[in-house]
């Protein structure tokens, strides 16, 4: 009974979070998964080569395309899912001042970056420090069943699950990160929901919003003669 629940927790819950991350935009799936892959590769070849994989350039490329940064939405007019939107501030280039200590080393006073690249630092930090514990958990899971690999799909590397053991833990972190620090009110989604309401409900929302704006001093109270 316990093993059944643990298995469902690993496969169903984590897979659900992966799908939710995909709906927020392909970049929230590709960058975290690439961070784990690069971390695994770097751990393997660090003893032979001393360098780094420029993953920051990968995120720079993805942030330029709507297909990767726009949430998946359903278009009722075309009856299909679309990934077209006005990119949020996370995916618009901004100018940042380089700290004084680094200006002498880099020779730059300012640098143009996407705000997402700042968030990718947190994602890559988790992937390198905490992500490997997903592999440790999977190893313990296999030892409990006295098996070496989950499957033999990839010769010498086990099954697909053996390659994605760290990804499930990463998916949980990304989902929590998006919910806590990224996701905010979306005016377009709110407007679409309002248009579905009955006319009486729309009028009620209008009166409530108008009263709120008048109290805030944003709108002037209407004059009645």
């Amino acid at each position: 009974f316990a093993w059944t629940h643990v298995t469902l927790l690993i496969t169903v819950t984590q897979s659900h979070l992966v799908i939710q991350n995909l709906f927020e935009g392909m970049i929230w799936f590709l960058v975290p998964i690439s961070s784990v892959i690069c971390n695994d590769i770097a751990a393997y070849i660090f003893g032979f080569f001393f360098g780094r994989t420029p993953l920051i350039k990968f995120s720079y490329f993805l942030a330029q395309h709507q297909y990767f940064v726009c949430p998946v939405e359903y278009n009722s007019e075309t009856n299909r899912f679309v990934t077209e939107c006005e990119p949020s501030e996370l995916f618009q280039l901004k100018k940042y001042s380089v700290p004084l200590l680094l200006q002498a080393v880099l020779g730059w006073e300012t640098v143009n970056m996407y705000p997402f690249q700042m968030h990718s630092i947190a994602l890559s930090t988790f992937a390198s420090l905490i992500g490997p514990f997903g592999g440790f958990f999977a190893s313990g899971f296999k030892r409990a069943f006295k098996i070496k690999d989950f499957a033999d799909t990839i010769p010498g590397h086990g099954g697909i699950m053996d390659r994605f053991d760290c990804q499930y833990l990463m998916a949980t972190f990304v989902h929590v990160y998006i919910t806590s620090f990224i996701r905010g009110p979306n005016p377009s989604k709110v407007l679409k929901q309002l248009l579905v309401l009955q006319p009486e409900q729309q009028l009620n929302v209008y009166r409530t919003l108008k009263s709120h704006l008048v109290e805030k001093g944003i709108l002037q109270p209407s004059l009645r003669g």
Side-chain angles (χ1 to χ4, degrees):
F1 182 77
W3 282 116
T4 300
H5 279 74
V6 171
T7 304
L8 291 175
L9 180 65
I10 295 175
T11 58
V12 179
T13 304
Q14 304 301 324
S15 299
H16 170 72
L17 298 180
V18 171
I19 299 301
Q20 292 298 316
N21 295 340
L22 280 170
F23 283 155
E24 292 294 329
M26 286 285 289
I27 196 170
W28 293 107
F29 173 76
L30 294 177
V31 170
I33 197 175
S34 300
S35 298
V36 175
I37 292 173
C38 290
N39 181 70
D40 289 344
I41 295 174
Y44 180 76
I45 67 174
F46 184 77
F48 302 94
F49 303 100
F50 293 90
R52 60 181 181 177
T53 301
L55 183 60
I56 197 73
K57 295 182 180 180
F58 179 66
S59 62
Y60 184 88
F61 168 77
L62 295 180
Q64 300 180 40
H65 301 277
Q66 289 187 357
Y67 180 77
F68 296 106
V69 302
C70 291
V72 178
E73 295 183 351
Y74 180 76
N75 190 328
S76 58
E77 296 180 358
T78 59
N79 292 324
R80 64 188 182 90
F81 289 97
V82 296
T83 54
E84 299 176 356
C85 69
E86 181 67 26
S88 66
E89 294 183 355
L90 283 175
F91 307 106
Q92 296 179 11
L93 281 174
K94 291 186 177 181
K95 182 178 292 185
Y96 293 93
S97 298
V98 178
L100 295 176
L101 294 176
L102 296 178
Q103 288 184 12
V105 178
L106 300 177
W108 303 334
E109 294 184 359
T110 60
V111 60
N112 291 327
M113 293 180 59
Y114 291 102
F116 173 80
Q117 292 175 304
M118 305 295 291
H119 292 287
S120 66
I121 296 176
L123 301 179
S124 59
T125 301
F126 184 90
S128 59
L129 298 180
I130 310 298
F133 284 93
F136 300 155
F137 175 79
S139 297
F141 193 81
K142 289 183 288 186
R143 288 182 181 228
F145 283 97
K146 298 180 180 180
I147 58 177
K148 181 181 179 181
D149 299 315
F150 285 108
D152 56 0
T153 307
I154 308 174
H157 292 272
I160 300 299
M161 182 61 184
D162 291 276
R163 296 297 90 202
F164 279 80
D165 48 9
C166 298
Q167 302 293 350
Y168 288 104
L169 187 60
M170 189 69 189
T172 303
F173 173 77
V174 173
H175 182 76
V176 174
Y177 191 87
I178 292 175
T179 304
S180 303
F181 303 108
I182 304 300
R183 186 182 297 158
N186 191 324
S188 62
K189 289 185 178 180
V190 173
L191 182 60
K192 289 180 180 179
Q193 293 175 350
L194 288 176
L195 295 177
V196 177
L197 298 177
Q198 297 296 324
E200 296 80 6
Q201 295 173 320
Q202 293 177 356
L203 286 173
N204 187 28
V205 173
Y206 168 75
R207 296 189 189 99
T208 304
L209 181 60
K210 181 180 179 181
S211 176
H212 175 74
L213 294 177
V214 170
E215 291 178 359
K216 290 286 187 179
I218 300 176
L219 290 181
Q220 295 295 329
S222 58
L223 298 178
R224 296 181 180 179

